[in-house]
């Protein structure tokens, strides 16, 4: 399953990049996804993020298509993909919310606004609800209360203990003074089935603020410095890819969805018990999409700046531009290889295996 998800992610990323930017940038994105060491490793690792990335990107692709075409079939397919993505990781609802919000803004200036948006919302949400319902019923039946997912309370309890100053290991697996199990990961299924405390709406903002204060520095360091995500070169290329060209109305809708999805995942990570690179994997395809646009923009800018003074013929200009694109692709991939020197996502090093034992 993870292998097939990794293979299929390449054409799906190509399709998304072609829809937003065109064929040339789509080829760059496909190359980065094909050879990026983290995604190669993920395609051989039994983690939920492998199928989730494929389904999330597929849902975004059909969602952006629905913004262009207004066809109900595109919205239905987006809902199907995001519904399946929800069964993999509940964060998929963030993508559905982003598509709906931008769809609402896009439909406001069109005739028959209420009917148009109502049909869009129905076609997108109906498949999600249909796919969610059996799983939610199963979890709710075993937990004894209505639950849409199973790990939210675990993560909240984990985060509360971290906010009290505990280390990640103690917060997850700690025992009380009477040797009773207190850490939610000692027996996760038992914790979900027996815990009766559900945080109120008032408690959640305060919890998120305390968690964000603890997580903001490691998250920023990972985003801005990590070679796996491109480090300073990646930040520069993402900036160039997003703002190197003016936005048409169509591109503004597309980028709004993608930026909202990326920002929503980061807000979610800020409120978690720990900042793990694994939790940043859903942001990686979006970063590679913008990096691909930045690579193409850097090549066009370099050639456009040099051509008036060098008077190169068209064939050499084309060759020079492709050479710059190739060099930047290799540079991003080499940085990612350097960043993955910590090991594999499979976590089969001796220390991890000893902890599991």
């Amino acid at each position: 399953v993870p292998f097939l998800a990794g293979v299929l992610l390449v054409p799906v990323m190509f399709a998304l990049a072609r829809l937003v930017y065109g064929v040339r940038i789509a080829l760059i994105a496909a190359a980065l996804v094909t050879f990026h060491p983290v995604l190669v490793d993920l395609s051989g690792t039994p983690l939920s993020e492998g199928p989730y990335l494929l389904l999330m990107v597929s849902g975004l692709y059909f969602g952006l298509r629905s913004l262009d075409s207004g066809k109900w079939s595109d919205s239905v397919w987006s809902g199907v993909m995001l519904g399946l993505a929800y069964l993999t990781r509940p964060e998929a609802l963030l993508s559905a919310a982003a598509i709906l919000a931008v769809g609402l803004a896009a439909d406001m200036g069109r005739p028959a606004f209420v009917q148009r948006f109502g049909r869009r919302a129905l076609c997108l949400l109906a498949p999600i609800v249909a796919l969610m319902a059996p799983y939610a019923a199963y979890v709710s039946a075993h937990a004894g209360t209505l639950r849409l997912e199973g790990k939210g309370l675990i993560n909240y309890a984990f985060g509360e203990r971290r906010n009290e100053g505990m280390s990640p290991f103690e917060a997850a697996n700690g025992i009380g003074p009477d040797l009773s199990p207190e850490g939610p990961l000692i027996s996760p299924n038992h914790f979900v089935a027996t815990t009766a405390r559900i945080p109120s709406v008032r408690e959640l903002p305060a919890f998120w603020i305390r968690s964000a204060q603890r997580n903001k520095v490691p998250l920023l360091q990972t985003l801005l410095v990590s070679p796996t995500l491109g480090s300073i070169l990646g930040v520069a290329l993402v900036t160039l890819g997003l703002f190197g060209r003016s936005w048409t109305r169509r591109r503004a809708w597309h980028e709004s969805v993608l930026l909202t999805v990326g920002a929503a995942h980061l807000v979610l990570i800020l409120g978690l018990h720990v900042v793990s690179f694994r939790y940043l994997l859903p942001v990686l395809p979006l970063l590679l999409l913008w990096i691909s646009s930045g690579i193409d923009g850097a090549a066009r800018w370099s050639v456009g700046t040099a051509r008036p003074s060098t008077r190169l013929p068209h064939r050499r200009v084309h060759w020079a531009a492709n050479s710059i694109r190739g060099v930047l692709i290799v540079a991003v991939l080499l940085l990612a290889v350097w960043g993955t020197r910590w090991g594999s996502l499979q976590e089969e090093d001796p220390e991890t295996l000893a902890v599991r034992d």
Side-chain angles (χ1 to χ4, degrees), residues 94 98 208 219 223 255-271 280 282-283 286-287 290:
L94 299 173
W208 184 89
L219 179 59
L223 284 174
E255 296 288 12
S256 296
V257 172
L258 299 176
L259 285 169
T260 301
V261 171
H265 277 90
L266 295 181
V267 169
L268 191 66
I269 294 170
L270 278 173
L280 282 166
V283 184
L286 302 178
L287 292 178
W290 294 321

Side-chain angles (χ1 to χ4, degrees), residues 124-200:
L124 178 67
L125 295 179
I128 296 177
V129 172
L131 288 165
M132 283 175 55
Y135 175 71
Y138 172 82
V139 175
S140 300
H142 284 271
T145 58
L146 178 63
R147 302 280 177 85
L148 298 181
E149 48 79 40
K151 289 190 68 177
L153 289 178
I154 292 179
N155 290 333
Y156 183 81
F158 199 163
E160 271 194 322
R161 293 165 64 81
R162 290 280 285 128
N163 290 340
E164 293 171 1
M166 298 184 188
S167 68
F169 285 119
E170 183 183 1
N173 301 299
I175 56 176
D178 59 350
L179 303 186
S180 61
E182 293 185 351
L185 295 190
I186 292 179
S187 181
N189 291 333
H190 179 74
F191 181 87
V192 171
T194 58
T195 183
R197 183 180 181 278
I198 298 178
S200 65

